[in-house]
Amino acid sequence: MGCGTSCSTKDRKSEKVFISHGSAALKAALIIQNWYRGYSARLKARQRYALTIFQSIEYADEQGQLQLSKFFSFMLENYTHIHEKDPELVARLFGSTLQDCKDRQEYVSCIDVPDSYNGPRLQFPLTFTDIDILLEAFKQQQILHAHYVLEVLFETKKVLKQMPNFTHVKTSPSKEITICGDLHGKLDDLFLIFYKNGLPSGSNSYIFNGDFVDRGKHSMEILMILFVSFLVYPNDLHLNRGNHEDFMMNLRYGFTKEILHKYKMHGKKILQILEDVYTWLPIGTIIDNEILIIHGGISESTDLNLLHRIERNKMKSVLMPPIPLDEDHDTDLKTKVGATIIPREVKTNGSLSEQLTKHEWEQVINILWSDPRGKRGCYPNKSRGGGCYFGPDITSKVLNKYQLKMLIRSHECKPEGYEICHGGKVVTVFSASNYYEEGSNRGAYIKLCCDMTPRFFQYQVTRTTCSRPLYQRVNAIESSAIRILKERMISRKTALIRAFQLQDHSKSGKLSMAQWAFSMENILGLDLPWRSLSSHLVTTDKNGNINYMSSFQDIHIQKPVKEAQSTLIETLYRYRSDLQIIFNVIDTDHSGLISMEEFRAMWKLFSSHYSIPIDDFQVDELAERMDLNKDGSIDFNEFLKAFYVVHKLDKLSKSDSNLP
Amino acid sequence: MCGPPKQRDQHCAERDLICRPNLPLGSSVLSPGSVFKAPVGWSLGLPGYSQALLEIGTIIRSLGCCPSEGELHDLIAEVEEEEPTGYIRFEKFLPVMTEVLLERRYRPIPEDTLLRAFEVLDPSKRGFLTKEELIKYMTEEGEPFSQEEMEEMLSAAIDPESNSIHYKDYIAMMVVDDS
């Protein structure tokens, strides 16, 4: 190991003596290094577990979203009696909201910008000055007036309409192109990218690969910056549609709420136009006829020629699949629900020409929702519930078919902001750092040029100037992940307990690790390393057996009303996101209130479709109690807020994150 | 004791590693039949499917083993392909790692050994090391730290007021967090 000599050197500056004892110091250093590397590795593993938790739950939620689409279809078929009483409701759910769309002039000109407004003012036609104005204003937390928002949206739609489904781009030695992935409303990340990489311009091209909105708090600001930049440099700033550029996704994942909150008066108008603008976003970009850039991925049946041809604006939402076109069904619908029934985008004369075919629709879904995996072949994407998993053989097959060399996509959060797979043929780029939680992941962007290898740039937004030590960051992410996992457990408490008790023949309250892990995975439907996580979720006895009821001791759902039964509470808590969407859709005037009748009708349909074994009268009773002022309407935001989860050890766990 | 159906057992066996990540250091027996969930990084594991999303070193260490860098390289050489691809195949890794764990190779450093190591580097028994001293030892002796590793260690270890590392407190803190 070391040489036997020893020597000493004097460091004059500090007057300390560094004594090298040869092998003793060497051994000591080795011990410390060895120990530290082990510790550091375990920290990283914990960080990974936490990210897996976040990701699994996120995808499970997306699955819930798609289940909701089936519910809407179900409602369409069973909705007769409700329609009779409330035709507007049906129109809102299933009809084209643009039937009464006014002329742009009417929309925009009837909204005045008052003199007292001191937010950013845009001048049409837009120039690069307007980009600067917007950036400066947003840095100071200003909000762009609805008048300008609408103008930008109308202009953007006009320009997008002229673009083909795939934008074809050429690079040259002097002109690199930068590709960014999901931003999800994280404005700081966009600022950071522009700071590091420069603003978009004629000599600085960008591609933004979808998912600009939802989840983050500044989706509107990001959208405005991107659209304005696009209008100023339509040939140098390219936008691809992501799965969140979808008005139905926005209902669940926060953008709709953001708009209605920031634009109390004109939010509804903005939402209407936005729905339409989304559908005109291009499906993808192709660079130098070699590199395909799309948001999600591909499937084995991906047909780029077909995708070039389809009328992409007919793809309204992932939650609105095309209705089957046979004539009998058509007549049935008419007789059931009257002449004005409008499955999405159908004209009143009954023609269904405004939809994509099922095949075309599936092609687009695959582009927006699929994920690459190491396993060969093409499989339905179980965790998200839409699109598929595609293997390296599929990638090769499809890329070869169209003489392409590489696929760049986004859609999945990666710890390093990017990931290369399928032998270098598939690259994921994700640009929202700290996506799940502060410190959860880096963001990245790619710079491409001609035949040169792509260059990757990483970054991470931090709120503080000096970052916390690694163990604190990991503790914070870990406790946040465990929290949401526990909330998931509590929302399925009854089913979990039943599964545990089925295996606990001796009624001892204990199970083996294997039994516990098996039930957890089965009931929660999450593919997680349960054994490694068990120490955070349950207590074990000295034989290593799990006390399965211990998970539920420090957490419960606060009951809004004492008398309500726990299974009802649990169910309402579990489905609260879905219910929120449905309520938002029913609430046509966005007042936050729905009538008791609407609530009852909705609940009946919902519970029968989702097979929820709860007496209707229990729900009725609950709703009545929630109608606090007895005027026959429920403030559903209050109703849903009432179901919040109480973590008994909350105070403790908050300060825990600062403990080493 | 009823367990999961046989098919699932097989699936588990292919995917899982034999480990007890939460055992206190130096404790009891591993039974070859027991099957535990693998750490993150092995998704949808079926034989023939190679993946190393987390580096091998991190995975091995997170299982409670503490090989030196040199020992780690030897281990990787054992599981690598004939023509190294940068990836490790799971079914090659599993038997090697199983043996490592059963033999209790690369046991972690006990706390008192760690303390004595620091004391060797602090012969005048001040109770601390200066930042410069620690950097010098960690980056010049033994199996040197990379800059990133050094910064990472300093961020947690250093007392900003005195710019020194009070190693006794530091060790105590880290051991608590690690358990």
Side-chain angles (χ1 to χ4, degrees):
Chain A
M1 279 213 284
C3 58
T5 57
S6 68
C7 53
S8 64
T9 46
K10 263 206 178 137
D11 179 353
R12 293 232 172 102
K13 281 184 195 161
S14 61
E15 291 189 351
K16 300 242 184 305
V17 177
F18 289 115
I19 299 174
S20 173
H21 284 286
S23 60
L26 186 72
K27 274 188 196 161
L30 278 171
I31 287 171
I32 297 172
Q33 286 156 347
N34 180 305
W35 162 80
Y36 185 77
R37 286 180 169 125
Y39 166 75
S40 171
R42 287 186 286 281
L43 266 186
K44 291 200 174 80
R46 279 166 60 196
Q47 186 178 35
R48 263 332 166 82
Y49 294 173
L51 289 182
T52 310
I53 294 175
F54 284 126
Q55 200 169 62
S56 311
I57 292 185
E58 179 186 17
Y59 295 171
D61 273 349
E62 287 180 352
Q63 218 190 89
Q65 186 68 352
L66 279 122
Q67 211 193 359
L68 200 58
S69 83
K70 294 193 193 121
F71 174 58
F72 283 132
S73 311
F74 171 80
M75 280 209 308
L76 179 61
E77 292 165 31
N78 295 284
Y79 213 47
T80 3
H81 60 290
I82 301 168
H83 170 255
E84 275 149 20
K85 293 181 188 156
D86 195 347
E88 207 192 273
L89 176 51
V90 177
R92 178 68 186 108
L93 270 175
F94 306 112
S96 166
T97 51
L98 294 176
Q99 284 201 321
D100 53 332
C101 173
K102 295 183 184 134
D103 193 304
R104 169 216 185 118
Q105 285 307 110
E106 285 186 51
Y107 255 113
V108 178
S109 58
C110 68
I111 303 176
D112 279 328
V113 185
D115 289 334
S116 57
Y117 168 73
N118 52 11
R121 287 170 190 267
L122 303 175
Q123 279 213 335
F124 287 80
L126 297 169
T127 61
F128 65 86
T129 329
D130 296 289
I131 303 179
D132 281 328
I133 291 175
L134 268 191
L135 288 171
E136 275 317 302
F138 291 154
K139 280 185 186 145
Q140 293 166 39
Q141 318 276 356
Q142 290 173 352
I143 293 183
L144 183 65
H145 197 278
H147 172 100
Y148 296 115
V149 172
L150 287 166
E151 278 224 65
V152 169
L153 289 177
F154 274 114
E155 272 299 311
T156 305
K157 175 180 161 182
K158 204 167 89 180
V159 179
L160 283 177
K161 255 175 129 160
Q162 295 160 20
M163 302 205 139
N165 293 348
F166 285 85
T167 317
H168 287 258
V169 171
K170 291 227 172 299
T171 57
S172 65
S174 57
K175 196 167 173 182
E176 272 186 310
I177 191 161
T178 306
I179 302 162
C180 300
D182 296 24
L183 284 168
H184 280 302
K186 307 282 208 116
L187 191 54
D188 285 340
D189 287 272
L190 187 57
F191 285 153
L192 194 51
I193 295 173
F194 284 163
Y195 175 72
K196 280 175 75 121
N197 197 50
L199 292 180
S201 72
S203 52
N204 194 14
S205 288
Y206 275 91
I207 299 177
F208 286 92
N209 200 15
D211 279 10
F212 324 123
V213 300
D214 275 337
R215 297 186 183 276
K217 299 200 176 75
H218 296 103
S219 300
M220 181 49 97
E221 284 72 35
I222 290 207
L223 207 60
M224 284 298 110
I225 293 172
L226 291 181
F227 283 169
V228 165
S229 307
F230 167 70
L231 289 171
V232 177
Y233 301 108
N235 297 318
D236 292 295
L237 189 121
H238 310 284
L239 300 169
N240 292 340
R241 190 175 186 184
N243 64 313
H244 279 261
E245 274 70 58
D246 179 325
F247 77 101
M248 279 276 165
M249 295 294 279
N250 294 164
L251 279 170
R252 182 194 276 264
Y253 290 102
F255 189 27
T256 308
K257 214 195 281 187
E258 182 187 324
I259 293 179
L260 294 174
H261 177 72
K262 285 178 177 163
Y263 297 98
K264 293 186 167 55
M265 262 180 63
H266 303 291
K268 194 179 164 203
K269 283 198 191 91
I270 294 177
L271 285 169
Q272 281 183 340
I273 310 299
L274 193 54
E275 249 180 71
D276 215 31
V277 175
Y278 282 154
T279 65
W280 284 107
L281 285 166
I283 296 171
T285 309
I286 299 180
I287 299 181
D288 294 335
N289 282 323
E290 280 184 348
I291 305 180
L292 176 62
I293 321 231
I294 44 178
H295 177 73
I298 51 177
S299 77
E300 61 188 341
S301 60
T302 290
D303 182 349
L304 282 184
N305 294 324
L306 175 76
L307 285 165
H308 269 81
R309 286 194 316 259
I310 61 167
E311 294 173 76
R312 70 180 187 271
N313 64 308
K314 291 180 181 172
M315 177 73 185
K316 290 291 167 191
S317 162
V318 69
L319 258 67
M320 294 287 177
I323 316 277
L325 282 181
D326 56 74
E327 274 207 331
D328 288 347
H329 196 255
D330 213 1
T331 340
D332 263 5
L333 284 176
K334 280 200 188 145
T335 49
K336 265 190 186 172
V337 286
T340 51
I341 180 59
I342 320 153
R344 203 80 203 159
E345 276 291 66
V346 173
K347 298 198 165 80
T348 44
N349 63 15
S351 110
L352 293 166
S353 62
E354 294 292 304
Q355 299 186 113
L356 293 174
T357 66
K358 187 153 190 282
H359 179 66
E360 289 169 343
W361 187 83
E362 267 168 16
Q363 287 272 328
V364 181
I365 290 284
N366 286 331
I367 296 287
L368 298 180
W369 283 77
S370 299
D371 292 316
R373 285 291 181 265
K375 191 164 139 187
R376 295 170 68 84
C378 188
Y379 305 87
N381 191 322
K382 278 187 299 106
S383 25
R384 295 198 200 250
C388 62
Y389 290 130
F390 61 99
D393 51 331
I394 305 291
T395 300
S396 297
K397 184 173 130 195
V398 172
L399 289 182
N400 287 340
K401 185 172 171 191
Y402 300 103
Q403 284 126 34
L404 298 166
K405 288 199 182 143
M406 198 196 302
L407 169 65
I408 299 182
R409 42 89 65 176
S410 306
H411 196 42
E412 283 183 293
C413 176
K414 297 292 176 192
E416 294 299 316
Y418 73 95
E419 191 173 273
I420 306 174
C421 62
H422 293 191
K425 292 199 178 142
V426 174
V427 175
T428 304
V429 61
F430 193 86
S431 301
S433 68
N434 305 327
Y435 179 56
Y436 292 118
E437 183 59 72
E438 171 112 24
S440 65
N441 64 291
R442 292 182 166 145
Y445 57 87
I446 308 175
K447 289 187 83 87
L448 276 185
C449 181
C450 279
D451 293 317
M452 287 163 45
T453 30
R455 296 184 294 149
F456 296 87
F457 293 81
Q458 296 168 300
Y459 53 85
Q460 194 160 15
V461 169
T462 41
R463 256 187 272 140
T464 52
T465 38
C466 56
S467 64
R468 297 184 290 173
L470 184 62
Y471 75 85
Q472 274 186 16
R473 300 199 311 263
V474 173
N475 276 333
I477 301 175
E478 196 178 43
S479 51
S480 182
I482 298 293
R483 244 178 114 89
I484 59 173
L485 187 52
K486 278 186 171 166
E487 285 177 7
R488 200 118 185 133
M489 283 171 70
I490 200 92
S491 76
R492 283 158 181 78
K493 177 175 166 183
T494 312
L496 276 172
I497 294 181
R498 206 181 313 134
F500 292 147
Q501 285 174 339
L502 261 166
Q503 297 184 85
D504 180 16
H505 299 304
S506 55
K507 305 268 174 274
S508 58
K510 294 184 203 274
L511 286 178
S512 73
M513 179 70 84
Q515 289 172 315
W516 179 81
F518 176 70
S519 296
M520 290 293 279
E521 180 147 327
N522 245 353
I523 302 294
L524 295 180
L526 296 173
D527 185 16
L528 294 175
W530 295 110
R531 292 164 177 96
S532 307
L533 293 172
S534 60
S535 62
H536 296 287
L537 300 172
V538 279
T539 58
T540 32
D541 66 12
K542 55 184 184 327
N543 298 321
N545 290 321
I546 307 272
N547 301 313
Y548 54 81
M549 291 303 290
S550 56
S551 315
F552 307 111
Q553 274 157 13
D554 58 352
I555 175 171
H556 66 269
I557 305 172
Q558 184 80 359
K559 289 184 191 176
V561 172
K562 271 200 203 131
E563 293 81 2
Q565 289 210 0
S566 52
T567 36
L568 170 61
I569 302 297
E570 203 178 295
T571 308
L572 285 170
Y573 176 74
R574 182 172 159 185
Y575 287 108
R576 70 196 188 293
S577 302
D578 297 326
L579 291 173
Q580 181 134 44
I581 296 180
I582 296 172
F583 290 158
N584 272 315
V585 173
I586 297 175
D587 179 24
T588 48
D589 57 3
H590 294 286
S591 60
L593 300 171
I594 55 168
S595 75
M596 286 293 297
E597 259 193 54
E598 283 170 334
F599 174 73
R600 282 198 190 96
M602 262 308 139
W603 179 261
K604 278 191 172 57
L605 279 175
F606 187 81
S607 59
S608 83
H609 177 77
Y610 280 76
S611 306
I612 299 172
I614 288 188
D615 287 332
D616 288 342
F617 90 87
Q618 274 189 48
V619 180
D620 279 354
E621 264 189 28
L622 186 63
E624 285 219 30
R625 285 184 215 279
M626 298 305 292
D627 175 15
L628 295 169
N629 53 5
K630 305 289 168 228
D631 66 349
S633 67
I634 302 171
D635 182 334
F636 63 85
N637 284 317
E638 291 306 312
F639 179 74
L640 291 171
K641 260 191 221 158
F643 299 91
Y644 62 93
V645 174
V646 175
H647 296 260
K648 280 193 196 153
L649 303 178
D650 233 3
K651 282 189 193 150
L652 219 60
S653 55
K654 274 199 179 121
S655 55
D656 256 341
S657 62
N658 288 322
L659 281 175
Chain B
M1 193 153 76
C2 60
K6 178 144 202 260
Q7 206 179 12
R8 193 194 140 73
D9 248 343
Q10 225 164 3
H11 182 53
C12 274
E14 282 152 0
R15 192 155 57 117
D16 300 1
L17 283 176
I18 300 179
C19 70
R20 283 223 169 185
N22 298 312
L23 267 191
L25 302 178
S27 73
S28 60
V29 179
L30 296 169
S31 49
S34 40
V35 170
F36 294 86
K37 193 84 165 222
V40 177
W42 310 99
S43 66
L44 297 183
L46 287 181
Y49 168 47
S50 57
Q51 175 171 329
L53 295 179
L54 270 180
E55 280 176 31
I56 275 293
T58 307
I59 293 181
I60 294 174
R61 287 177 171 132
S62 70
L63 290 171
C65 300
C66 286
S68 67
E69 292 287 282
E71 289 166 331
L72 188 60
H73 281 125
D74 292 339
L75 201 52
I76 290 178
E78 257 187 83
V79 294
E80 245 178 353
E81 304 293 297
E82 278 85 50
E83 289 184 29
T85 58
Y87 289 91
I88 306 288
R89 287 167 77 80
F90 182 77
E91 67 275 6
K92 225 174 168 184
F93 179 75
L94 179 58
V96 174
M97 196 63 219
T98 308
E99 215 182 296
V100 166
L101 287 166
L102 285 175
E103 289 174 11
R104 304 169 69 72
R105 247 190 275 168
Y106 314 131
R107 289 278 85 196
I109 314 285
E111 194 180 327
D112 52 335
T113 312
L114 187 58
L115 182 58
R116 271 184 283 135
F118 274 102
E119 284 171 350
V120 164
L121 303 180
D122 175 27
S124 36
K125 308 278 177 254
R126 298 159 298 174
F128 64 88
L129 290 175
T130 67
K131 181 176 165 187
E132 294 76 31
E133 286 168 343
L134 186 65
I135 293 179
K136 183 179 159 73
Y137 285 121
M138 294 295 104
T139 58
E140 291 180 20
E141 301 274 2
E143 290 173 328
F145 273 174
S146 67
Q147 196 186 359
E148 204 182 326
E149 285 173 314
M150 192 70 247
E151 280 170 12
E152 233 177 65
M153 183 181 188
L154 282 175
S155 72
I158 205 156
D159 167 28
E161 280 170 37
S162 57
N163 231 21
S164 62
I165 295 94
H166 295 265
Y167 47 83
K168 237 184 177 164
D169 297 334
Y170 174 58
I171 293 174
M173 203 168 76
M174 291 291 116
V175 165
V176 166
D177 185 50
D178 208 11
S179 59

